Structures are given as structure tokens and as C-alpha cells.
Amino acid sequence: MASRPSPVVEEILKTVKQRVKWSGYDKQAVEKAVSKFVAAIDVVRLHYLENCVGCAACAPACPYYYVDEHYSPVNKAEYSRGVYRKKLTFAGRILGPLVGAWIPKNEKDLDRVVELVYRCTNCGHCYYACPFGIDSGSLVQGLLKIIATYSGRAPTIIDVFAELEYREAYLEIEGLMMPWNMVLKKAEEAIGKSLPLDKKGAEVLLLPWLTDAMFYPGGVIGAIKAFEAAGLDYTLPSRPWAVRPPIGVVVGRMELAKATLERIVRRAEELGVKRVVLLDGGFPYPWMRWEMPKLLGRRPNFQVVHFVEIALELVKQGRLPIEPDDTPVTWHDPCQLGRRGGVTEEPYELLRRVARNFRPLKHRGVHSICCGGGGGIGCMNPEMIAEMAKLMGLEPDALYDGEKEKKFIEETTKAWSIAVKRKIDEIRESGAKIVVTACPVCIHSISGGAKLYNLPVDVKHIAEYIGERVKLKR
Amino acid sequence: MGLSEALYNFAVYQFFWIALALFAFGVVYRIGRMFALWKRPVKAPRRARGGGYLVKTFIETFLDPIIFSLKKKPHDFTFGLLLLHLFGVLPIIFLMGEHVIVWSYYFPPYWLVAKWGLWIPESMISGTLTVTTPVPPVGEMSYKFVSNIWGPLNIILNGDVLAILALIGVGGKIGMKLLEAAKREKNVRLGDIIDYTLLLGILLAGYLAARFRGDVIIYRELLALHVLFAELLLAWLPFSKYWHFVFGYWYGKIHEWWDTRYQRGA
């Protein structure tokens, strides 16, 4: 039984319930959404919209193509092209559906849009598979999602977390803060001294998010142990600066995303650190490293790197004493760290140095198979929603906009259970007993998939793996 | 002047300029729109990767989709890339003797293709262009002889074989599009039907003209149709999927490399 929700949770839920509508068709909202869609088209997206020849070469790259062929990237992106044609081409305005011009006209259309949006993980594999360099993920996640969200079709759970992060309201929710407080306490026990919290002028800022503490506390502790062992001049925040920023992008709410990133950059600059180290190799990495300067219109005064990059540097410099491991271990490339983030070489170099029985997967780097959990799909399952509701003192039903959304979440979970299978099969083929990776969604998705398809494997964050093997001087 | 001659003259001497003007308008329109939407972004510093890595990944950017298609969609690879592009339309357009002469007429340096012996004959059993091709006589002959470097490869590299491969390619692509349409796939567009029909028209008219050995009037009509269809495609090109050949493909792949490999270091 959930405890009573705090007033801040009730307030956020009220805000979200006002804008999330899984039933009906609000013409004004759709028009507003279409205007936002049009405003989000830039020169690169114009290429993505206009230069597809419809060859569908991208189809087999998508994990959801194996759930249903209609979920191929080109099919999903075609809905964005339809809106584009209707609003911005002569042929589309005059000839309409004859040339594939389209705009959601009723409830059924909106239901279809949201279905397609949450059958895309934005993994970017279609981008590399396309003979014309078209990033269909950008058209689905970056454009079509705007139509879904601003027409009311946004998953309540993600929208609640976007709002929680924007307002930093999670700091007031005991259930959510518990893992954070716990991880700091355990880290202090592990290193046998106080943590260097909020230290100004440190070289490196280890910047864990709230989700890092929730999903892999061992990863946070592992990173701290590694930095201590290497004698790094580092600091970390005494409280989480965000849930998993910018979580607003997962529901296409760019205004929330921008405000959150601005806040994070300001704080890191106030600390005067030279480098910010992330543990999360999911979407926060490309957003913090690559997209943030574009969004904010300026470069921050620090460099953003992932833990795996700095760990490799330290190992190469001989500053990180590690006890090599004999367990068969493999690496799963999180799509956002690898394909989207460009960290495709470093994890392999690091693991070759620290794991004697490293077994790279058949598809790796930019060709890696997606785990099927990205784009918000990972947290769209009833168990996760029930768990999060409990932490916030809510009944699970409070995080659904009625039966329709509930059914959609259940269908999404079913679709994920098919999409994840290829990844599990590939891990099974490698013979690995440990899968190391760097993204909470990948960890959750692969662990869930392994359980579903009876694969006895331990899935952990790379920082946890390194932390377990690091020789710490006391 | 008979209909045949009028059609021929219109196709060869008049419509070409109209088509070229439409093509030029289309190019300006499409590139202009890209410039209109262009804004210099504030970029993060790029990831340091060595020159060798960048060259390797540049090649991979172009090769990877081909390898992926071969592994995952062999039918599409065969009909689309092999038959239609690599062994069909591309060598016919740019290497077949008759076309080399046309390109050289408008762009004289293109004659290097003939000089270097890269051009290919119309048929595997003869080096001639065709007895009725209206090219200036060379020496005693009323036709031009295609002398090239391809040797035994002429068995494949000739107009007849390549045109048949291209026809099979287009036919296969039309068939696949119809199958996709039956499955209600969204990536089947009206433009596909127009584009493939136009291409099929060009190939058929050209093939029939090349194989025709009868009345010169009918030959001229076939040739006029072939030229007219090709000019229609030229005018239509910037507004259709064929734009990929002029711009979309090159921009797309180079941008992808710049974005993912050069900038982010993937």
C-alpha cells in the first residue's frame, strides 16, 4: 500500500493530468502541435524529410521491425513526411493524400501517431543503414513525438518525471531521494572517508543523476572508488541535479529540457570544474555532450565525458590499478553512447585491458543491436510504473490517464518483449556470463529480456565492474 | 515536315532547353530552400580521431548500407542496387557509345571517356553504335566504331545486356513496390509509380530504337520518344526521388559522415 503523496506530487500530477489526454481529439491542440512541428524543421531535417526514396533499406535495422513490419523506420518517418508535405509543399497542399500529405484528423489518427512514436527507440541504427544518410529516428522522436505530446498523447509517467526534474521537486520526495542518500552513505563506507561533495575548483565533477543511484548504485560507488584509487582531484554533488536530464526530450518537451540543461551548466560552471564525468550512457550523454551547446547557443566552460572515456585514460596512464578478471564478459553498446555519442572504441579498449576473457558481441559499435528499451519505452511497463508510483506515494493507477493508456502501456511491454530477443540471442551466442554496459535502460531491458528468455547472465554498469576490481589503497 | 520529323526536332532541339530550364529552376528551388533553413549551430568541440580513422570511416559511411542491404535485404540489393544501378542504368547512361556522344556534344571534355576507351558498344557482337545513328561518318564508314579497353568484358558491358538488366531491375522494383502497396506499407508513394514508369519508358524506347532495323521514320519516332522521356525525367528530376542522384545521396552521406564520424567520432 502506497503512503500518502506529498503536496508537490499532487501538484505535479494535477499539471500533468491537465495536458495529458489519451482520449478524444482536440483540434486546437493538434494545430498547435503542428506549428511546433514546423518550427522544429531545420536544414538537416529538411534533408531527412525530402530525400527518402522509400527503399526501406533501413527496415531491418529497427528492433521494432521484428515486432511488426509496419514499424519500420521509413514507415514511421513517413507520418512526419505527411505532415511536412501538408504544411510546407505546394503539391501536398493542393493534392493532399494523393501525394502522401497528411495531418491527424481524428482520435484514431492520434492513436496511430503515439503508437508509432513509442515503437522507436531513437537508437540511430536506421541512420547508418540508410543509403542516403537519413536519420529516421530524428523524424520520429524529434518531430512526430511533438505531434503526439502536444496533442495530449504523452505517457503520464514520463511527463510526471519531466515535470519533477524541471521543478527539482524530486528533492522533496523521500521515496525518490532514499536511493541517493543510501548510495552516498555506502560510497563513504567503501572508501573509508568523507566524500568530496560540492568542492569548488576540483578538476573533475562526477555527475550522477538520480536514476544512476536508483538503477545501479554499485556503478556510482564503483566510479568513486576508481577516482579515489587513481588519486583524481574530483567532486560530486551532495544532491542530484536532475532525475535523468534532459528527460523533457523523451516526451518532446524542449522547453523543460532547455531549462534543466541551463541549470546544470550554470552549477557546473559555478563549481569551476574542468571536466564533467557522466555515468549514464543513455540519452543524457549525447544531450550533454553534443546537443547542449546547440540548444543553449553557447559552449560550456567544461568538457563532458563518459566514465568509460576517463577510465580508459587512467588505465593507459597506469593510474588505475585493476585486478584483471577471468569471467567471460561482454560489452553492450548503449545506442546513445555509441552510435549517437561516438564512444565506439573506448569501451572495447578498456575491457581488453581489464578482462582476460572479453567476448565482444557479433554486432558492435555503430552496428550494435539495440536492446529495444530506449525512447521512453523502457519505463513504459506496468511493473516500473507500479514501482515508481510506490516511491512517490501514489497508487499505480494515478500514473495512467485511464484504461486506454494502461492498455497502450501493456501493448508496449509486449512489443518490447519481442524487440529485445535479438539482443538476448546475441549475448547467449557470445557465452558471456557478465554483460557490462552503461545505460540504465539497457541494464533494465537486458536484465528483463534475459529473465524472459532464460539466459543466466549478470548485467551491470561498467563503473560497477571496474569498481569491483579496483585496488583501493586505504 | 512530317510528324516523325517534327517530333524528333522538338525532342532533340527544342524540348531539351525547356527541360533544362525546369531542371535549373528545380535545383535553385531545392538548394535555395536548404539555404533558407540553414543556421550556423553552436557546436561542441569535435572528438579527436586520427586521419586514418576518418578516411576509413568515410569509406565505411558509403559501404556500410550496401553491405547491410546485401545481408538483410538481398532481393532489394539485387534488383535495386546491382541490376538497376550498378549493372543497369549507370553504365548505360554514362558509358554507352551513343550516350557518350550526346554528353560530349553538350560537354566536350566528356569525349575523354571515348578517348580512354572506357565507352561500351551497343551490342556484344559488334563494336558499332548502330547503322542508323545519325553521327558523322568516320572515314569510309557510315557509323562510328566503339574501340574500348574492356576486352572480353564486352560480353556483359554492352547496351543490349545492360538494358535488359536495367529492365529487370526496374521491373523488380515495380513488383516490390506493388507487394509493399498490397501490404499497405506507407513508403509506397505516387511518385514511385511516375518515376519507375518514366524510367521504364526511357529504357524500352531506347532499347527498341537501338534494336530497330527497319524504316528510318519509325526509328526516328522511337528515338524521339526515348529522348523526350529522358528530357521529361531531367525536368522532373529535382522534384522527384531521382534528386538523390544529383544531390540527396551525396549530401546525405557526407553529412552523415561529418555528423557521426568526424564530429562525434563514432
Side-chain angles (χ1 to χ4, degrees), chain A residues 16 18-22 29-30 32-34 36 110 113-114 117-118 140-156 158-159 162 247-256 375:
Chain A
V16 169
Q18 275 168 357
R19 62 193 188 203
V20 170
K21 302 247 177 312
W22 277 75
V30 173
K32 193 182 156 198
V34 169
K36 275 185 172 286
L110 284 182
V113 166
V114 74
V117 162
Y118 293 98
V140 178
Q141 295 288 324
L143 291 181
L144 199 61
K145 195 169 248 183
I146 292 175
I147 304 273
T149 293
Y150 289 93
S151 301
R153 303 293 200 275
T156 306
I158 307 177
D159 219 12
I247 203 165
V249 300
V250 184
V251 273
R253 297 203 188 277
M254 296 308 290
E255 67 283 5
L256 303 189

Side-chain angles (χ1 to χ4, degrees), chain A residues 319-336:
Chain A
R319 290 171 65 186
L320 193 56
I322 289 178
E323 188 69 53
D325 175 38
D326 288 318
T327 322
V329 60
T330 193
W331 166 258
H332 160 70
D333 287 282
C335 304
Q336 303 296 321

Side-chain angles (χ1 to χ4, degrees), chain B residues 82-96 120-122 124 153-169 203 207:
Chain B
L82 280 188
L83 297 182
L84 189 55
H85 284 80
L86 299 182
F87 293 117
V89 170
L90 289 177
I92 291 182
I93 292 178
F94 294 108
L95 294 183
M96 202 172 74
I120 57 176
E122 180 193 287
M124 72 171 84
L153 284 175
N154 278 301
I155 292 170
I156 298 164
L157 291 175
N158 61 79
D160 283 348
V161 171
L162 295 182
I164 289 167
L165 293 181
L167 282 166
I168 294 170
L203 283 166
Y207 183 76

Side-chain angles (χ1 to χ4, degrees), chain A residues 50-54 56 70 75 78 84 127-128 130-132 285 289 291 299 309 340-342 346, chain B residues 30 33 43-44 47 49 64 73 177 183 185-187 189 241 243 249 252-253 259-260 263-264:
Chain A
E50 287 197 328
N51 286 320
C52 172
V53 302
H70 290 95
N75 255 320
E78 201 60 15
Y84 159 74
Y127 189 12
Y128 290 82
C130 173
F132 307 96
Y285 179 80
R289 175 138 189 181
E291 304 298 334
R299 283 182 178 183
E309 295 172 79
R340 298 278 187 203
E346 293 79 357
Chain B
R30 291 201 64 166
R33 289 213 313 166
K43 294 188 293 285
R47 187 187 302 282
R49 294 281 195 216
D64 281 351
K73 292 186 91 181
K177 280 288 165 193
K183 287 200 260 175
E185 301 282 358
K186 286 280 283 182
N187 58 310
R189 306 161 186 154
K241 62 155 74 177
W243 179 244
Y249 175 69
K253 289 320 274 183
D259 176 30
T260 60
Q263 199 68 24
R264 301 182 190 220

Side-chain angles (χ1 to χ4, degrees), chain A residues 48 66 76-77 300 355 416 438 441 462 464:
Chain A
Y48 299 157
Y66 300 90
K76 287 178 282 195
W416 161 82
V441 169
I462 181 84
E464 185 173 1

Side-chain angles (χ1 to χ4, degrees), chain A residues 180 183-184 187-188 191 195-210 212-213 216-229 232-242 245 264 267-268 271-281 285 288 302-311 314 438 461-464 466-467:
Chain A
W180 178 270
V183 85
L184 293 191
E188 282 187 334
I191 61 170
L195 290 167
L197 300 173
D198 305 322
K199 190 174 96 181
K200 286 201 171 185
E203 186 110 356
V204 169
L205 168 67
L206 176 65
L207 192 51
W209 314 121
L210 182 61
D212 292 331
Y216 37 79
V220 182
I221 297 164
I224 291 168
K225 279 173 74 181
F227 287 2
E228 285 288 335
L232 268 188
D233 174 21
Y234 77 102
T235 183
L236 71 161
S238 54
R239 52 186 198 158
W241 287 359
I264 292 166
R267 284 183 188 163
L271 282 180
V273 295
K274 291 193 180 78
R275 295 174 106 182
V276 169
V277 178
L278 304 182
L279 289 170
D280 194 332
Y285 179 80
M288 285 287 291
F302 52 84
Q303 189 199 12
V304 178
V305 294
H306 188 266
F307 172 79
V308 79
E309 295 172 79
I310 200 165
L314 295 172
H461 192 280
I462 181 84
E464 185 173 1
I466 296 288

Side-chain angles (χ1 to χ4, degrees), chain B residues 65-255:
Chain B
I66 296 173
I67 297 165
F68 187 76
S69 174
L70 173 66
K71 285 181 183 168
K72 303 283 182 183
K73 292 186 91 181
H75 54 288
D76 211 37
F77 174 83
T78 308
F79 286 104
L81 186 71
L82 280 188
L83 297 182
L84 189 55
H85 284 80
L86 299 182
F87 293 117
V89 170
L90 289 177
I92 291 182
I93 292 178
F94 294 108
L95 294 183
M96 202 172 74
E98 284 91 336
H99 294 156
V100 171
I101 290 168
V102 173
W103 295 128
S104 305
Y105 174 77
Y106 292 109
F107 181 63
Y110 200 77
W111 190 246
L112 279 177
V113 173
K115 272 194 174 170
W116 290 343
L118 294 169
W119 58 352
I120 57 176
E122 180 193 287
S123 158
M124 72 171 84
I125 51 169
S126 154
T128 60
L129 288 165
T130 165
V131 284
T132 47
T133 300
V135 292
V138 176
E140 297 293 309
M141 297 186 289
S142 64
Y143 53 83
K144 202 159 181 63
F145 187 79
V146 175
S147 169
N148 67 23
I149 63 166
W150 301 112
L153 284 175
N154 278 301
I155 292 170
I156 298 164
L157 291 175
N158 61 79
D160 283 348
V161 171
L162 295 182
I164 289 167
L165 293 181
L167 282 166
I168 294 170
V170 181
K173 287 298 280 184
I174 292 174
M176 282 190 270
K177 280 288 165 193
L178 291 176
L179 273 178
E180 285 173 354
K183 287 200 260 175
R184 294 181 171 273
E185 301 282 358
K186 286 280 283 182
N187 58 310
V188 184
R189 306 161 186 154
L190 179 67
D192 292 330
I193 310 299
I194 297 171
D195 296 339
Y196 287 134
T197 308
L198 200 51
L199 188 56
L200 195 64
I202 296 168
L203 283 166
L204 273 177
Y207 183 76
L208 288 175
R211 304 309 310 149
F212 191 75
R213 295 290 181 269
D215 187 349
V216 74
I217 293 175
I218 300 172
Y219 166 74
R220 203 157 50 186
E221 281 166 0
L222 284 171
L223 196 62
L225 271 183
H226 173 67
V227 174
L228 258 182
F229 284 149
E231 287 164 347
L232 272 175
L233 189 138
L234 177 69
W236 174 241
L237 199 145
F239 310 101
S240 70
K241 62 155 74 177
Y242 292 130
W243 179 244
H244 77 265
F245 170 67
V246 179
F247 183 81
Y249 175 69
W250 311 104
Y251 171 83
K253 289 320 274 183
I254 291 168
H255 171 266

